[in-house]
Amino acid sequence: MSTVIMNKDKNVSNHHQKLTLAKFKPKQKIVYQTNNLNLWYDDVHALKNINLSIGHQEVTAIIGPSGCGKSSFLKTLNRMVELVPGVRITGDITYSGKNILSKSFSVEELRTQVGMVFQKPNPFPKSIYENIAYGPKIHGIRNKKILNEIVEHSLRRAYLWDDVKDRLKQNAYDLSGGQQQRLCIARCLAINPDVILMDEPTSALDPNSTLQIEELIKDLKKEYSIVIVTHNMQQAARISDKTAFFLHGEVIEYDQTNLIFSNPVDKRTSDYINGDFG
C-alpha cells in the first residue's frame, strides 16, 4: 500500500513527516488504490502519476482549483470518464483488490457497487417512488413489499422520508433543489453500494440545504466510503477525514484533513487554502 506526498519543503519536521506517512491504521481496509494513474484527453495530460489510497468508511475530500483534475479523477473511480471521446488511461486502479481497468472487469458490476451523485440534482422524470425503485427493479427485484421497504429505508437514510412519505406518487421535479439532491442520494443508496462518489453535490444548493447534505454525509460514512470533490474549503474541513490537494493534474499533498488545514507540508497547499490562488 502506498500513498503520496509531493514534498517540496526540505525543512518539514520529522514529527510531521511521520504523521504524514501514518495515514492509515495498520489494519484499516483500503477500498481504492491508484498506482501511477495517468489520464489524457487527446493530447492534454489531465492526471499525472496519481497514487492514492482511499480508506473504508471514511470521507475523502478532493480539493483544488478549476481544471486541476478533480472531477476527472473521481470519474475514473467508476470508469465514467471513459465515456469521453479521446480518453486514454495508463496505470492501475484497484477496487477491493481487483484492477477495475482490466478488460475482464465488469463495468456494470462496478457501478452497482460504486454510486455517483452529481453537481446538479438529476432526478428521473418519474415519481418520487419510481426514482428510488428504479435501480432495484433493474436488478430484478419485483416484489412490491420488498420494493416498498427499499424505498422507505433509502428515503429515511437520506433524511427525506418525513418530507415525502405522503406524496410518493408526486413527480420528483416538484421537490426543492435540496430535496432533489437528497432524492438522488437515496436513489444511489437503493442499490446498496459500498462507495459513494460525489461531484460538488452542494454547489447548486442554498446554505440550509448544504448543511443538510453535509450532516447526511457525516452520517452515511458509518456505512459507506465517500469521495467528494468540493471547491468549498470550509466544507472539506467540516466533513472529511482525509483531504487530497490536486494542482495541474498532480496530487500535491494528501493527509489527514486536520493536518492539511492546520499545518500543510507544501506551500502551494497553504496558498490555495488561504485563498492566494484558485
Side-chain angles (χ1 to χ4, degrees):
M1 176 183 69
S2 63
T3 53
V4 162
I5 292 290
M6 295 184 178
N7 181 10
K8 303 296 184 182
D9 185 352
K10 295 181 180 179
N11 297 317
V12 178
S13 69
N14 289 333
H15 175 65
H16 194 116
Q17 287 179 339
K18 290 178 181 177
L19 287 173
T20 294
L21 294 173
K23 292 179 182 64
F24 296 96
K25 300 172 185 177
K27 294 184 180 180
Q28 182 181 5
K29 179 181 176 182
I30 301 302
V31 178
Y32 270 106
Q33 173 77 48
T34 68
N35 296 300
N36 298 321
L37 176 67
N38 286 269
L39 181 143
W40 290 263
Y41 296 109
D42 293 320
D43 295 330
V44 177
H45 198 175
L47 295 176
K48 304 170 185 176
N49 296 317
I50 306 298
N51 295 278
L52 284 181
S53 298
I54 294 171
H56 178 58
Q57 293 182 347
E58 287 188 332
V59 178
T60 301
I62 310 295
I63 64 171
S66 297
C68 70
K70 302 185 303 296
S71 293
S72 292
F73 173 73
L74 194 74
K75 291 173 183 176
T76 65
L77 299 182
N78 69 350
R79 293 181 55 180
M80 280 193 65
V81 74
E82 295 173 21
L83 300 174
V84 180
V87 162
R88 181 165 62 91
I89 301 173
T90 63
D92 296 320
I93 306 174
T94 57
Y95 166 68
S96 296
K98 298 179 181 179
N99 184 7
I100 68 170
L101 298 180
S102 168
K103 292 182 179 179
S104 63
F105 195 93
S106 168
V107 176
E108 292 74 18
E109 178 184 349
L110 177 67
R111 291 177 187 162
T112 64
Q113 299 175 38
V114 182
M116 185 86 175
V117 177
F118 296 93
Q119 183 174 0
K120 293 182 180 180
N122 62 338
F124 299 146
K126 300 174 180 287
S127 70
I128 295 168
Y129 182 97
E130 287 300 327
N131 263 269
I132 308 302
Y134 179 84
K137 285 182 177 180
I138 289 293
H139 290 95
I141 297 176
R142 293 289 184 268
N143 185 290
K144 185 70 172 178
K145 181 180 179 181
I146 294 175
L147 287 172
N148 289 345
E149 291 173 352
I150 291 173
V151 169
E152 179 175 348
H153 177 72
S154 301
L155 289 170
R156 285 189 182 278
R157 292 296 288 114
Y159 299 172
L160 195 56
W161 175 250
D162 288 340
D163 292 349
V164 303
K165 61 183 179 182
D166 297 323
R167 48 183 178 138
L168 294 177
K169 295 182 179 180
Q170 188 173 336
N171 193 296
Y173 288 164
D174 293 336
L175 298 174
S176 69
Q179 289 174 326
Q180 286 187 21
Q181 193 64 298
R182 280 183 283 149
L183 179 70
C184 292
I185 294 173
R187 187 178 67 197
C188 175
L189 298 177
I191 61 171
N192 196 29
D194 295 322
V195 180
I196 304 173
L197 308 177
M198 297 185 168
D199 194 357
E200 298 188 58
T202 64
S203 64
L205 304 181
D206 61 78
N208 184 57
S209 296
T210 295
L211 180 62
Q212 289 178 317
I213 297 292
E214 288 183 4
E215 290 302 314
L216 173 57
I217 290 170
K218 287 188 282 189
D219 185 34
L220 289 176
K221 80 170 185 177
K222 299 172 185 175
E223 299 179 45
Y224 307 94
S225 306
I226 299 172
V227 185
I228 178 171
V229 166
T230 180
H231 275 291
N232 188 324
M233 297 300 96
Q234 292 77 22
Q235 181 174 82
R238 284 192 296 264
I239 67 172
S240 68
D241 300 287
K242 295 187 180 73
T243 296
F245 171 51
F246 277 52
L247 184 65
H248 304 312
E250 298 180 277
V251 178
I252 303 303
E253 193 164 347
Y254 179 43
D255 213 329
Q256 300 286 344
T257 293
N258 63 329
L259 289 177
I260 288 285
F261 282 90
S262 66
N263 192 20
V265 173
D266 195 295
K267 184 178 184 299
R268 291 169 294 179
T269 310
S270 177
D271 288 347
Y272 179 73
I273 290 172
N274 292 327
D276 293 339
F277 72 94

